[in-house]
């Protein structure tokens, strides 16, 4: 069996900026990028069409929004600014470490997360001292949960088939996609990770 966990809302709790355009503007200004006067409007506008299920990388969106106002910024600066804007306070959810450890006793473990900010999931896990055998994010693989391709990518990263994958998350709309992809989904609005860890250790009482 291979197990994957959603990141935000399942393993960790994170403070998100109330006005993301303002957080990005501040991070851009810190890096010497001139921020347009109508940046809030530019940030809210769509600057590229994406196929259904595709992830829209935030750093790309920021570069396109700036370009629409005549401001050029290189990819690395845009990437650094978007990561800095969303790299806010985070904390482990109760039982997170125990759930990962119990899952690892059963087989390989991954974090499978929707996230449009490159590097944010990895940075978040490192900050709270959690690790997994693989971290599969929508911004890296190109597809958002519930699309089956992100679950396939997660199974592939663990050397398993989708049928062997059990995914644990908090959102039935996105995390529930594991079942439609051919795997198993354990979805709770407020996951009791300590209980899930116990069930994983029990084997017969496995949530998967």
């Amino acid at each position: 069996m291979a197990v994957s966990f959603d990141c935000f809302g399942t393993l960790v709790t994170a403070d998100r900026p109330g006005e993301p355009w303002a957080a990005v503007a501040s991070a851009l200004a810190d890096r010497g990028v001139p921020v347009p006067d109508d940046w809030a409007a530019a940030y809210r506008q769509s600057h590229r069409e994406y196929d259904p299920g595709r992830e829209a990388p935030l750093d790309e969106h920021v570069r396109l929004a700036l370009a629409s106002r005549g401001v050029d910024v290189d990819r690395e600066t845009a990437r650094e600014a978007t990561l800095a804007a969303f790299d806010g306070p985070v904390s482990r959810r109760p039982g997170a470490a125990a759930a990962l450890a119990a899952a690892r006793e059963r087989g390989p473990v991954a974090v499978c997360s929707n996230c449009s900010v490159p590097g944010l999931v990895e940075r978040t896990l490192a900050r709270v001292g959690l690790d997994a055998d693989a971290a599969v994010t929508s911004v890296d693989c190109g597809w958002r949960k519930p699309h089956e391709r992100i679950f396939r990518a997660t199974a592939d990263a663990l050397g398993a088939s989708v049928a062997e994958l059990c995914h644990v998350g908090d959102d039935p709309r996105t995390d529930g996609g594991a079942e439609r992809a051919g795997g198993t989904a354990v979805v709770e609005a407020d996951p009791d990770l300590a209980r899930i860890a116990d069930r994983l250790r029990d084997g017969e009482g496995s949530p998967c």
Side-chain angles (χ1 to χ4, degrees):
M1 182 179 74
V3 182
S4 62
F5 292 84
D6 172 54
C7 184
F8 302 105
T10 299
L11 293 176
V12 305
T13 299
D15 288 345
R16 300 179 182 274
E19 296 183 341
W21 56 89
V24 173
S26 177
L28 288 169
D30 288 344
R31 288 158 178 79
V33 178
V35 179
D37 291 339
D38 63 341
W39 173 243
Y43 186 93
R44 291 189 182 103
Q45 292 172 358
S46 174
H47 300 281
R48 178 185 163 184
E49 295 295 326
Y50 294 89
D51 292 336
R54 277 285 190 181
E55 180 60 274
L58 188 60
D59 58 330
E60 178 181 69
H61 173 72
V62 167
R63 288 193 301 106
L64 293 174
L66 288 168
S68 74
R69 299 316 195 254
V71 178
D72 290 326
V73 64
D74 62 83
R75 292 177 182 273
E76 186 59 30
T77 299
R79 179 181 286 252
E80 290 177 357
T82 53
L83 177 57
F86 289 87
D87 189 19
V90 292
S91 60
R92 289 188 194 182
R93 295 195 71 249
L100 286 170
R104 190 170 282 112
E105 293 176 7
R106 304 291 301 277
V109 182
V111 171
C112 174
S113 178
N114 281 348
C115 182
S116 64
V117 181
L120 182 59
V121 168
E122 295 84 350
R123 169 67 173 152
T124 297
L125 294 174
R127 288 181 62 188
V128 297
L130 296 175
D131 59 42
D133 299 309
V136 179
T137 64
S138 57
V139 73
D140 287 335
C141 83
W143 299 91
R144 292 182 63 82
K145 295 180 294 185
H147 201 285
E148 64 182 25
R149 292 196 186 186
I150 191 171
F151 294 107
R152 288 181 190 170
T154 301
D156 287 346
L158 297 178
S161 68
V162 175
E164 296 173 298
L165 182 68
C166 172
H167 179 70
V168 179
D170 67 310
D171 186 339
R173 183 183 63 83
T174 58
D175 297 306
E179 289 191 350
R180 294 188 289 279
T184 303
V186 177
V187 181
E188 301 176 2
D190 183 18
D192 186 338
L193 294 174
R195 179 176 56 81
I196 289 172
D198 288 341
R199 291 173 64 185
L200 283 165
R201 291 193 192 93
D202 289 344
E204 292 183 4
S206 167
C208 307

